[in-house]
Amino acid sequence: MANTKVNLCGITLDNPIIPASGTFGFGYEFAELYDINVLGTFSFKGTTLEPRFGNPTPRIAECASGMLNAVGLQNPGVDKVISEELPKLRRVFNKPVMANVSGFSIHEYVETVRRLDGEGDIGWFEVNISCPNVHGGGMSFGTSPEMAEQVTRAVRKVTDKPIIIKLSPNVTDIVSIAKACEAGGADGVSLINTLLGMRIDIKRRRPIIANKTGGFSGPAIKPVAVRMIYQVYEAVKIPIVGMGGARSAEDVIELMLAGATAVEIGAENLVNPYACRDIIEALPSVMEKYGINNLSEIIGGAH
Amino acid sequence: MKDSVFKILSNEKIAKNTYECILEGDISDVKAPGQFVNIKLDGFYLRRPISVCDAEDGKLTIIYKVVGEGTEAMAKAAVGDEWLTLTGLGNGYDTSPSGDYPLLIGGGAGVPPMYMLCKKLIFEGKHPTVILGFNTKDEVFYKEKFTNLGAKVIVATADGSVGVKGFVTNVMPSCEYTYFYTCGPEPMLKAVYEVSVTSGQLSFEERMGCGFGACMGCSCKTKYGNKRICRDGPVLTKEEIIW
């Protein structure tokens, strides 16, 4: 009997499959399609201190084997997430959930985490220091080791729950940033966020996306993710949540062999709303095919 | 919302760059006119959101205009080909406030959802008038289909090559109506909004990621808060729109 359980920062997941933030809302849209309690957990929509409408539309552009998005952290703000979204989520999900938070100053990160910290169903914080689609915050914290460490330290002071820092691939050296997060007290890192990209409408001769640039995700970015997970795994002791283009049980195994303890599924949820359920159902037979009894034993197995 | 395989029964050009495709499959989740489906095509990452023209007896009719690589691939699809299709997307039109004499205004690729709506209104015993707007004669489609339903039909073309010369909004003042329904390019929607003398419902278009409310790719601001065109729309009421 294939054992798909993994341990992420002290909490056991039934399987390593985690829908990525921004592709799964607060869960209840997908709960209309299948019982989302089959998931390991999921990372809810990126939450900021204040409500945000996000960027103007168009926010989406298609690419070969992927897509660009520039949503810009649209969310109702932390207080409404607590008063409106989490109660709705509780009706359909009974496992610890991953709270994805973002900010435009250290104060905003800290205050958002502090307010969410009292919610018992939050198992982990995923601190996004890598959103490429907002200006004057987000990714700027994730492109320097010093800033990444400062954010981590500041958030560390206001919660005892595991903190996972979500890293940007749009840097010269992701390893140094992962190490800075570890030094700052992070319990884990998740990578990779989207790659900064652009598409141009050749009829209009203008960028397709109103924000001009957007984050590139989908199957095309998987090799970049595998490479970065592999490099970070060699440099840090804390667990890695891997993501980037995964859309099958085989992809999940590949990211885990690179060093991921758990795997987030992003863009694929938008194309196949049943993607995570399908991967979870396929895992045992694919494990058997590759001679894997315990999934947790293959973490970092390619090193 | 349901994801299932649809088989192409026919896929014919009916006007300039415009194709009518009839598909066979599970239409049980198509609940209202004005809803859309999201079609997975081989070789393309994102699905193609296309409005429902008709859904009856296990058959789904869509009409699409070739505007890019995706719709070009759709036009090349053969009878018997299969598309994985999400159905039952979007809110659709609400016929309850229509009154006895609703006015339906479709522009170009916005004409198709008017067909199922017109059919439903006539079934409910109402007397719709339909204005169909196109740029030119070669683009006109479905005029007879609407007439055969029993609706009063007025065609307007921008160049006057057939019907009334001008825009749908040139025709509107001569119509008496209790309510309006419209779908078409955004500048037309705005013009209809401004010329209209009753309340009404307008169907919007936006580039979408998922089509079912997960990605926030197609959000807009309304007087009643932020809405997702794909999930809370594509139909918005006149009263809630912020231009």
Side-chain angles (χ1 to χ4, degrees):
Chain A
M1 180 69 188
N3 181 1
T4 58
K5 286 187 167 55
V6 294
N7 185 302
L8 182 61
C9 309
I11 302 171
T12 300
L13 303 181
D14 290 333
N15 60 67
I17 307 306
I18 305 174
S21 181
T23 66
F24 212 73
F26 287 89
Y28 45 83
E29 278 90 6
F30 287 84
E32 290 173 24
L33 297 172
Y34 65 91
D35 179 5
I36 63 170
N37 289 295
V38 301
L39 301 168
T41 180
F42 79 94
S43 183
F44 67 54
K45 178 71 188 146
T47 297
T48 53
L49 187 58
E50 303 296 334
R52 284 179 57 82
F53 175 69
N55 291 322
T57 56
R59 296 174 171 181
I60 304 286
E62 190 184 43
C63 313
S65 285
M67 61 181 284
L68 296 177
N69 91 82
V71 170
L73 296 174
Q74 181 178 348
N75 80 94
V78 66
D79 292 336
K80 271 206 167 155
V81 166
I82 291 169
S83 65
E84 291 177 15
E85 302 293 343
L86 293 184
K88 282 195 252 182
L89 163 61
R90 266 171 213 133
R91 273 180 241 142
V92 294
F93 193 59
N94 55 32
K95 290 179 171 180
V97 70
M98 192 177 282
N100 185 288
V101 299
S102 205
F104 294 82
S105 65
I106 287 180
H107 163 73
E108 285 184 28
Y109 280 104
V110 166
E111 190 55 25
T112 307
V113 169
R114 197 186 60 74
R115 290 190 198 181
L116 284 167
D117 193 48
E119 303 302 308
D121 38 3
I122 292 175
W124 312 256
F125 283 101
E126 182 174 47
V127 180
N128 179 7
I129 57 167
S130 47
C131 180
N133 298 322
V134 293
H135 303 281
M139 192 168 77
S140 58
F141 289 99
T143 53
S144 114
E146 294 75 26
M147 291 294 284
E149 187 172 341
Q150 270 185 43
V151 175
T152 310
R153 275 191 203 288
V155 173
R156 177 76 288 164
K157 285 184 189 144
V158 292
T159 182
D160 293 327
K161 289 177 176 171
I163 299 168
I164 295 164
I165 310 288
K166 186 167 178 178
L167 305 183
S168 173
N170 304 305
V171 293
T172 46
D173 181 15
I174 195 166
V175 169
S176 64
I177 293 164
K179 284 164 87 170
C181 294
E182 186 177 39
D187 301 285
V189 284
S190 60
L191 59 137
I192 57 174
N193 205 322
T194 55
L195 290 149
L196 197 58
M198 182 188 277
R199 281 212 58 205
I200 290 169
D201 178 340
I202 60 171
K203 273 186 221 151
R204 288 173 41 252
R205 303 187 180 188
R206 291 288 177 276
I208 292 175
I209 288 182
N211 187 53
K212 296 189 175 82
T213 60
F216 184 32
S217 60
I221 74 164
K222 191 180 75 172
V224 181
V226 171
R227 184 266 292 181
M228 288 188 162
I229 294 163
Y230 189 93
Q231 288 176 323
V232 169
Y233 182 83
E234 301 217 318
V236 301
K237 293 188 176 64
I238 52 177
I240 297 166
V241 178
M243 79 196 85
R247 57 173 172 171
S248 67
E250 286 83 354
D251 292 341
V252 169
I253 290 169
E254 186 176 351
L255 266 63
M256 291 182 77
L257 288 169
T261 293
V263 174
E264 293 189 14
I265 310 295
E268 195 65 15
N269 293 312
L270 310 182
V271 181
N272 172 15
Y274 295 97
C276 289
R277 185 203 62 180
D278 293 350
I279 293 169
I280 290 163
E281 285 177 359
L283 259 178
S285 62
V286 175
M287 284 168 64
E288 196 187 337
K289 185 178 168 190
Y290 292 96
I292 304 162
N293 294 320
N294 279 308
L295 203 49
S296 62
E297 285 171 8
I298 69 161
I299 298 164
H303 293 261
Chain B
M1 165 166 138
K2 195 171 263 179
D3 201 15
S4 59
V5 173
F6 279 71
K7 190 173 174 181
I8 299 174
L9 299 178
S10 68
N11 190 23
E12 304 285 335
K13 192 171 184 175
I14 55 167
K16 187 183 168 194
N17 296 332
T18 309
Y19 290 75
E20 179 197 62
C21 182
I22 301 172
L23 300 133
E24 188 176 45
D26 181 355
I27 55 165
S28 59
D29 259 35
V30 180
K31 308 273 193 219
Q35 286 191 313
F36 64 97
V37 298
N38 213 359
I39 301 173
K40 182 83 180 99
L41 303 172
D42 284 346
F44 294 90
Y45 190 62
L46 295 176
R47 294 179 185 234
R48 263 57 193 172
I50 310 281
S51 61
V52 171
C53 175
D54 199 9
E56 203 172 10
D57 300 331
K59 285 177 193 149
L60 173 76
T61 305
I62 55 169
I63 293 175
Y64 57 91
K65 203 168 171 179
V66 174
V67 290
E69 291 172 8
T71 40
E72 241 166 59
M74 285 173 68
K76 285 180 192 146
V79 170
D81 285 359
E82 294 181 329
W83 287 331
L84 185 63
T85 303
L86 274 170
T87 55
L89 304 178
N91 57 353
Y93 292 107
D94 177 5
T95 56
S96 59
S98 75
D100 285 339
Y101 298 95
L103 180 63
L104 279 57
I105 309 135
V111 167
M114 292 298 132
Y115 183 75
M116 187 168 162
L117 175 63
C118 186
K119 208 170 166 180
K120 186 170 185 208
L121 289 165
I122 287 172
F123 179 77
E124 291 173 356
K126 291 150 185 175
H127 308 281
T129 298
V130 184
I131 307 173
L132 304 176
F134 300 95
N135 290 314
T136 184
K137 192 179 160 189
D138 298 348
E139 296 181 3
V140 177
F141 61 90
Y142 262 46
K143 180 175 184 280
E144 294 73 28
K145 288 266 216 174
F146 280 96
T147 308
N148 293 344
L149 287 178
K152 186 184 166 198
V153 184
I154 306 160
V155 171
T157 51
D159 66 358
S161 52
V162 66
V164 178
K165 182 176 163 59
F167 298 116
V168 293
T169 41
N170 299 121
V171 179
M172 282 175 70
S174 63
C175 300
E176 281 192 33
Y177 51 97
T178 48
Y179 197 81
F180 76 90
Y181 297 94
T182 185
C183 182
E186 198 167 310
M188 187 199 96
L189 298 184
K190 189 158 190 250
V192 167
Y193 173 96
E194 279 159 5
V195 169
S196 62
V197 295
T198 66
S199 182
Q201 294 169 29
L202 301 87
S203 182
F204 286 79
E205 202 174 46
E206 185 53 80
R207 277 179 186 267
M208 292 176 186
C210 62
F212 53 89
C215 74
M216 310 298 230
C218 60
S219 298
C220 70
K221 289 179 184 169
T222 76
K223 287 176 189 160
Y224 310 143
N226 300 335
K227 292 202 170 183
R228 297 158 294 181
I229 294 292
C230 71
R231 176 97 179 184
D232 311 308
V235 177
L236 302 179
T237 62
K238 184 181 173 185
E239 289 69 33
E240 66 184 314
I241 293 165
I242 303 170
W243 293 102

